Amino acid sequence: MKAKLNWNGRMAFSGETESGHHVLLDAGEENGGANKGPRPTEVLLNAAAVCTGMDIVMILEKMRFTIDGFHIEIDGTRAENHPRRFTEIAITYHIDGELPEDKVVRAIKLSRDTYCTVVNSLNAEIQYKYVLNGEESNTVKS
């Protein structure tokens, strides 16, 4: 996989993904940017959430379950000192439908442990929570 990004001045970079989509990333004004696009760290968190979400949808659909609604909340904690990497990431899944809890937990674990390239490329401790039929679960443990 390759990417090429061009500097647009100040802190902004734009480019095209290998799949042909345009991206624009920038910093906030407090960091020398013009706030014309999301921060790289914001994109990283969104990528982690979506990567696992796509896996979970695919796994549950292969199990022949129907998802009625699905949204994800992700919260990243960063170190105080540079490089200010993520030290902890918590992902909360809100999945609606007639879904057996054990199957949802299995889908989350398969994504986390086997399929999600983005999450498995990170070095943060990631916590997973989900809401199934309005009931919040405990964190999914290894």
Side-chain angles (χ1 to χ4, degrees):
M1 185 175 294
K2 295 181 182 184
K4 181 178 180 182
L5 293 109
N6 297 306
W7 180 53
N8 296 345
R10 296 181 72 177
M11 296 301 220
F13 286 81
S14 64
E16 189 172 308
T17 66
E18 193 171 72
S19 58
H21 297 280
H22 180 77
V23 294
L24 172 65
L25 301 168
D26 198 2
E29 293 178 8
E30 69 280 3
N31 291 312
N35 196 31
K36 292 183 178 180
R39 315 304 177 254
T41 49
E42 292 173 328
V43 173
L44 180 65
L45 279 184
N46 278 273
V50 171
C51 182
T52 62
M54 288 176 171
D55 289 341
I56 291 165
V57 167
M58 186 174 12
I59 292 164
L60 291 174
E61 285 180 349
K62 283 184 179 181
M63 292 179 184
R64 303 200 189 282
F65 292 110
T66 301
I67 298 171
D68 295 332
F70 189 7
H71 75 271
I72 302 167
E73 296 173 22
I74 189 162
D75 183 21
T77 302
R78 294 177 63 194
E80 292 293 321
N81 298 320
H82 289 284
R84 300 208 53 227
R85 69 178 189 85
F86 285 104
T87 57
E88 188 173 353
I89 296 173
I91 303 176
T92 302
Y93 304 102
H94 299 268
I95 308 172
D96 299 320
E98 296 297 321
L99 304 163
E101 184 173 349
D102 63 323
K103 302 299 184 187
V104 173
V105 170
R106 173 120 173 93
I108 293 169
K109 286 182 177 181
L110 281 169
S111 176
R112 178 193 64 201
D113 298 338
T114 305
Y115 296 115
C116 182
T117 301
V118 177
V119 166
N120 283 285
S121 296
L122 296 172
N123 191 23
E125 178 182 328
I126 299 174
Q127 298 176 16
Y128 298 82
K129 293 186 261 181
Y130 62 93
V131 175
L132 179 60
N133 298 327
E135 297 293 322
E136 187 170 334
S137 77
N138 294 324
T139 301
V140 176
K141 299 182 181 176
S142 297

